[in-house]
Amino acid sequence: MAKNFHTDNKAFMLYKDWEDIFQALDSSEEIGELVMALFAYAKRGETPKLSGGAKIAFLMMRAAIERDGIAWEEMCAQRSECGKKGGRPKKSDESGNTDEKAEQTAASADNAEEKPQGINDTAEKPKAFSQTKRFSEKAKKADKDIDIDKDKDTDKDIDKDKDKDKDKDKDKAIDKEKKKDAGTAKSVVRSFGTHKNIMLTSEQYNELESRCRSVGLSLESYISKLSQWLFTKGRHCTDPYRIISGWLDNDSKRKTAAKPKEKQGCDLSWYDDFAMNFDLSKFF
């Protein structure tokens, strides 16, 4: 049966980067509501009703909890599949028990053969018969040694294949961790402004800063302006990125419209050189 991280997983991750998000909230009540909302979603898949900064922080943290939970479900499925396949084949006993059992079996078979009537067991057997039996025993022992060597080679090949599978699984796990770290870095919410009430992700901040730098404007002035206005009015902004982006678009258009157009110049120095050095004698 497939595992569900909401009901089967007994734990979920709290990242150190979330400390800035908790500190950016206005009151202990909001922090408590956010913590209980995280437990409700991780344990039962519930999405509580929140508002303001707590709602934005919950959406960011919920994405990380869901990503970790899906990775845990995939790991459980892989372990279950490996368990269904079973272990590797049993090796022959290296202490020599296999050879001993084979020799006992061969001896039992020789004793079970019918003896011709009228022949004494203590009588000397013909020389040709004893040599044939000796060569036959050597051939049997050689065949058994070959089979044992084949089994050992097969076990070595199986071990090599398992080692390769383990290396592949390790590489996949490393790639998943890198992707998870990259995604977490982009989705981390940070507080900006004089009063630390402007919530932006690292990706949003870098994009706005790049746009401001391209038109010669300052992102910090926009953030300080919005932070002071929200603090004065006693309000919370749910989407500061959209507001700052709108201000930046308007100021960029005004700045572009106010820039004077460059006049096209005309350099006639080449014409003076042509007129002074032109030879008219070849036309007369």
Side-chain angles (χ1 to χ4, degrees), residues 37-206:
L38 293 176
F39 276 101
Y41 179 75
K43 190 174 181 180
R44 297 179 294 275
E46 298 176 359
T47 303
K49 294 182 179 180
L50 300 172
S51 60
K55 182 178 181 180
I56 298 174
F58 173 74
L59 294 176
M60 297 295 180
M61 296 176 180
R62 182 183 66 178
I65 292 174
E66 185 174 359
R67 181 179 59 250
D68 295 340
I70 293 173
W72 179 82
E73 290 176 358
E74 292 177 354
M75 181 184 67
C76 291
Q78 289 179 357
R79 290 181 177 177
S80 177
E81 189 66 24
C82 292
K84 291 179 181 179
K85 292 181 179 179
R88 67 179 187 181
K90 295 182 179 180
K91 293 184 178 181
S92 58
D93 193 354
E94 296 180 356
S95 61
N97 292 335
T98 303
D99 294 339
E100 185 176 352
K101 291 181 180 179
E103 290 176 359
Q104 291 177 357
T105 304
S108 300
D110 292 339
N111 293 331
E113 292 178 357
E114 285 188 353
K115 300 178 182 179
Q117 295 181 358
I119 296 180
N120 191 1
D121 292 337
T122 58
E124 183 179 1
K125 296 182 179 180
K127 187 175 180 181
F129 176 79
S130 61
Q131 290 178 349
T132 304
K133 184 176 180 180
R134 185 172 65 252
F135 291 139
S136 176
E137 291 175 352
K138 288 183 179 179
K140 287 181 180 180
K141 188 174 181 180
D143 292 338
K144 285 188 286 185
D145 294 339
I146 292 172
D147 293 336
I148 293 172
D149 293 337
K150 287 182 178 180
D151 292 338
K152 290 182 179 179
D153 294 337
T154 303
D155 292 337
K156 289 181 181 179
D157 294 336
I158 293 173
D159 293 337
K160 288 181 180 179
D161 293 337
K162 287 188 175 182
D163 292 338
K164 289 181 180 179
D165 294 336
K166 289 181 180 179
D167 293 338
K168 289 181 181 179
D169 292 338
K170 288 182 181 178
D171 294 337
K172 289 181 180 179
I174 292 171
D175 292 337
K176 282 186 179 179
E177 288 296 331
K178 289 182 179 178
K179 291 179 180 179
K180 184 173 72 173
D181 294 340
T184 304
K186 289 184 179 179
S187 62
V188 170
V189 179
R190 297 170 56 193
S191 57
F192 299 92
T194 307
H195 303 285
K196 300 296 182 180
N197 54 354
I198 306 299
M199 308 294 289
L200 295 171
T201 64
S202 300
E203 187 177 10
Q204 291 174 342
Y205 182 86
N206 294 334

Side-chain angles (χ1 to χ4, degrees), residues 239-254:
D239 193 359
Y241 170 79
R242 181 176 60 82
I243 295 175
I244 296 175
S245 181
W247 288 351
L248 180 58
D249 290 339
N250 293 334
D251 291 346
S252 299
K253 291 178 182 178
R254 294 195 193 107

